[in-house]
Amino acid sequence: MRRVRYGHTGGPLFLEEVPVPEPGPGELLVRCEAIGVTLPVVRKVTEAAEPGPLGGEIAGEVVAAGAGSTGFRPGDRVTGLCFGHSYADFAVLQESMASRVPDGASPVDAVVLVRSGLVALGALSAARPAPGETALITGAASGVGHLAVQLARTRGASRVVGAVSDPAKAGFVRSLGADEVVPYDRMGHNGHNGQDARPDEGAPRDGVASVDYVLDAVGGALLTPALATLAPGGRLVAYSSGGGTIQAYDLLVGAVTVTGFQLRRIARGQPELYERWRRELWRLFTEGTVRPVVHGEFALADAAVAHRVIESRTNLGKVVLIP
């Protein structure tokens, strides 16, 4: 089978021929029909000290089940988060990470929802939203962000603001249900970020009016202006791999809180909650409440091109590989 790998930090990515893996106890061997591309994996290639497997979300057909696997059998359509090699024709998936793909959902639909949707829903749950509250979603046009914008409505948000790297993304984010869209350089509340660039239409000229919670997918230098948008007692959930530093005084002055969210911890430590979130996402998808959007589909041999799209921050929705 074909598999994408890289030999050293920074790449390049290349295809290699390797034997089809064997599923171990509690594992499924899946013929991949769609593979998600994420920013953390892109950063792994460019920043990790040692090369490692390119993991991520997959969707496809079960072709074999390892010893002790009882929930699935060959022929079942599944999707799930793969911690090993996922950029491949076949991948090994832990049965506990597998979810059935419902009728009416394509492999591409499934691969958008399996991780991006779970991250969005998990980050939203960590924010403890209450009906009538207001939300700011950074990276609002991304694979996770475009779902978070839609999901915030399902948790009762009265106003949703999308923050984007490029004002050209505003129309797309509004089509998802956002009330306002603001570029990153205008995000600081009341102009606290010191920028004076022209705001996107629909956003106040002096920045973002206060929100009750922020779901931050970007981190880094954007953390401070994101924090500045919070109303007193507001909450910021950081789920990006971009890092960043927050001054303690910025927390004290507004009595705000910052929470980190990591999906892997939930998947491994709270499987019942993980499964409940999966069921909720499939229900919302089936009802048509949540609409996964795919920016582009790329061949396995073009994984490097897909990575460049993610690095350029030009994607509107999810980037997917099709073996």
Side-chain angles (χ1 to χ4, degrees), residues 178-224:
D179 300 289
E180 303 167 25
V181 184
V182 62
Y184 292 155
D185 61 6
R186 290 297 310 175
M187 207 171 70
H189 177 47
N190 291 329
H192 287 175
N193 61 355
Q195 300 292 332
D196 57 6
R198 181 179 179 84
D200 175 60
E201 180 183 355
R205 288 192 62 84
D206 58 355
V208 179
S210 294
V211 297
D212 295 298
Y213 62 90
V214 175
L215 306 185
D216 180 37
V218 181
L222 201 66
L223 267 179
T224 297

Side-chain angles (χ1 to χ4, degrees), residues 119-120 123 137-139 142 144-145 148 215-217 237-241 259-262:
V119 171
I137 314 294
T138 70
S142 68
V144 174
L215 306 185
D216 180 37
V237 177
Y239 64 92
S240 80
S241 56
T259 302
F261 175 77
Q262 183 188 55

Side-chain angles (χ1 to χ4, degrees), residues 121-135 151-152 154-157 212-213 215 235 237:
L121 186 56
L124 181 61
S125 298
R128 308 182 312 280
E133 288 192 322
T134 55
L151 288 167
T154 72
R155 295 297 178 91
D212 295 298
Y213 62 90
L215 306 185
R235 295 92 62 197
V237 177

